Amino acid sequence: MLSSLLFAIMSCSGAVETTWRDSDTPNTATDSLKDQEILIVYHSRTKNTQAVAEIIHRQVGGDLVGLELEKPYPAHYQTTVDQVAEENRTGYLPPLKTKIDSMEKYDIVFVGFPTWGMQLPPPMKSFLKQYDLEGKTVIPFNTNAGYGVGSGFETINQLCSKSKILEGYTTKAGIERDGIHFVISGEKEEQVTAQVDELLAKLGFNKQQ
Ligand SMILES: Cc1cc2nc3c(=O)[nH]c(=O)nc-3n(C[C@H](O)[C@H](O)[C@H](O)COP(=O)(O)O)c2cc1C
């Protein structure tokens, strides 16, 4: 019963919340991921989401890709906040410099992003609009400044309505507004690693696939 709960597919449904339940039996349907092609794609400005992506990568392998833009955001925080607010208001999708070859070969796509303006950042909206993840398993992950994932997981549900979306991961990380940039080191890195390992085990990923 636990495994069926954990594997509730969230496609086109409400928000996927990360809830930490007692870990028991992984779902047998995904016990063997040996033949699955994995992509871990993320957008990261101050490298917190990148650090979570690297932790996932150490556990499950596959290809790790950080999204870069044709025109990077300004270094200045508030200018970026204002630009992102305008992009969210108008629905502007910033063109990606990163190109992903052979998207069709991937079975599982981890999608990582920071919360920006309580939403999915425009670059990740660009990615999900540009690439078709139909039929793939999608696992979202997020870092934020303590206000949570906002509508990010819901937007992934909407933009990946033909994917199987599994339970996501979210954690509080940097607070750039207050000059706190990269925080996933030391104890925090250990905590995130343990939480990610727990979630991946629940989802049926075993070490060294
Ligand atoms: C433009 C911008 C908007 C942000 N908006 C939010 C927000 O609405 N809520 C929140 O909790 N954090 C917000 N943050 C903070 C980031 O989500 C947080 O620092 C995250 O860990 C950064 O991840 P990164 O290091 O991978 O870039 C914002 C950061 C930026 C740059």
Side-chain angles (χ1 to χ4, degrees), residues 43-50 77 80-81 84 114-118 143-148 173-176:
H43 182 66
S44 185
R45 174 178 163 91
T46 45
K47 297 191 175 357
N48 293 287
T49 311
Q50 178 180 321
Y77 172 74
T80 304
V81 168
V84 166
T115 304
W116 278 8
M118 297 314 288
T143 73
N144 59 75
Y147 299 96
I175 313 175
E176 190 177 341

Side-chain angles (χ1 to χ4, degrees), residues 112-156:
F113 60 96
T115 304
W116 278 8
M118 297 314 288
Q119 296 191 32
L120 194 68
M124 194 50 82
K125 291 179 185 168
S126 295
F127 169 78
L128 293 175
K129 294 254 187 181
Q130 187 174 335
Y131 292 96
D132 183 5
L133 304 190
E134 179 173 356
K136 302 182 192 305
T137 297
V138 170
I139 303 165
F141 61 99
N142 163 263
T143 73
N144 59 75
Y147 299 96
V149 67
S151 57
F153 287 169
E154 281 170 41
T155 302
I156 288 179

